[in-house]
């Protein structure tokens, strides 16, 4: 990761002391422990809030025949936290942990529709400074966010690939009080 060796040694030693990593001194390698693996379990459960949401997402995937995702904001990005692939055929194939810009996507527009315009303006300024690729003009972002708020969902075609479209809606916050968005995505012709 390009960090100084001494910094990495301190970090690894701390993770071993916390029983998050096990060290094999003969081969000088580190492995995640069972405790490390359990850290992620509560996080996934907080996103899915029990079986009800998981079942609903499964029904949505089954009824639409498309890929269903659950996502949450991560500053200027959206992170996919759960994916149910399309039951069959050609499908959109996102991965858990995948991130993309909050601007211009169905999920991002849905999230932006939950924010006050002043927050959206500040986020757009930061994205401009960071030279975020494909950043729509501020007026377009404000208009799209208002439309998502008015409708209760957002629709986008070809944001990252001309043949993929998505429909997204805002869900109640998870147990960590973060906004959640559900989306259905797939080939544009089927989604239309």
């Amino acid at each position: 990761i390009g960090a100084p060796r001494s910094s990495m040694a301190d970090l690894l030693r701390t993770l071993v002391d916390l029983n998050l990593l096990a060290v094999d001194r003969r081969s000088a390698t580190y492995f995640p422990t069972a405790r490390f693996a359990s850290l992620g379990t509560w996080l996934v459960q907080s996103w899915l809030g029990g079986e009800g949401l998981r079942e609903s997402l499964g029904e949505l995937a089954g009824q639409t025949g498309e890929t269903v995702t659950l996502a949450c904001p991560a500053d200027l990005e959206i992170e996919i936290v759960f994916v149910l692939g399309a039951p069959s055929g050609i499908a959109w194939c996102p991965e858990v942990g995948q991130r993309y810009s909050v601007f211009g996507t169905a999920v991002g527009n849905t999230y932006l529709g939950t924010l006050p315009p002043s927050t959206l303006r500040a986020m757009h300024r930061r994205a401009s400074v960071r030279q975020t690729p494909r950043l729509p003009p501020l007026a377009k972002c404000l208009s799209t966010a208002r439309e998502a708020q008015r409708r209760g969902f957002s629709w986008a075609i070809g944001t990252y690939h001309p043949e993929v479209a998505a429909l997204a809606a805002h869900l109640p916050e998870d147990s960590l009080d973060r906004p959640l968005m559900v989306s259905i995505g797939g080939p544009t012709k089927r989604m239309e």
Side-chain angles (χ1 to χ4, degrees):
I1 62 174
R5 189 174 179 97
S6 59
S7 298
M8 287 306 302
D10 289 342
L11 176 60
L12 291 169
R13 188 174 21 258
T14 301
L15 292 173
V16 168
D17 291 346
L18 292 171
N19 193 25
L20 296 172
L21 290 181
V23 63
D24 180 343
R25 299 212 184 276
R26 289 175 292 146
S27 62
T29 55
Y30 294 83
F31 299 95
T33 63
R35 183 173 182 197
F36 179 85
S38 71
L39 287 176
T41 305
W42 70 269
L43 193 56
V44 171
Q45 291 308 316
S46 78
W47 289 324
L48 297 178
E51 292 302 310
L53 180 56
R54 186 183 305 241
E55 288 174 10
S56 296
L57 295 173
E59 284 180 36
L60 188 58
Q63 289 178 8
T64 63
E66 301 297 349
T67 300
V68 172
T69 67
L70 189 63
C72 66
D75 191 28
L76 296 176
E77 296 178 313
I78 293 293
E79 180 179 24
I80 296 174
V81 297
F82 184 76
V83 176
L84 276 173
S88 63
I90 297 171
W92 173 48
C93 300
E95 295 178 5
V96 170
Q98 182 177 345
R99 288 184 174 197
Y100 47 89
S101 175
V102 72
F103 296 100
T105 63
V107 172
N109 293 335
T110 298
Y111 170 61
L112 293 174
T114 68
L115 302 175
S118 59
T119 301
L120 198 155
R121 284 185 189 93
M123 290 173 70
H124 193 275
R125 270 193 305 277
R126 286 190 297 122
S128 294
V129 168
R130 292 183 186 177
Q131 298 180 344
T132 300
R134 297 186 292 270
L135 179 64
L138 177 59
K140 173 84 171 150
C141 292
L142 289 166
S143 167
T144 305
R146 276 193 307 273
E147 185 69 12
Q149 185 179 45
R150 185 183 68 74
R151 287 182 168 174
F153 68 91
S154 184
W155 168 254
I157 298 174
T159 302
Y160 288 103
H161 189 282
E163 309 234 349
V164 174
L167 176 77
H170 183 259
L171 295 177
E173 294 178 342
D174 68 1
S175 62
L176 299 175
D177 295 327
R178 293 174 313 163
L180 290 174
M181 282 69 59
V182 63
S183 73
I184 305 165
T188 301
K189 291 199 186 302
R190 284 200 320 241
M191 289 296 294
E192 286 176 328

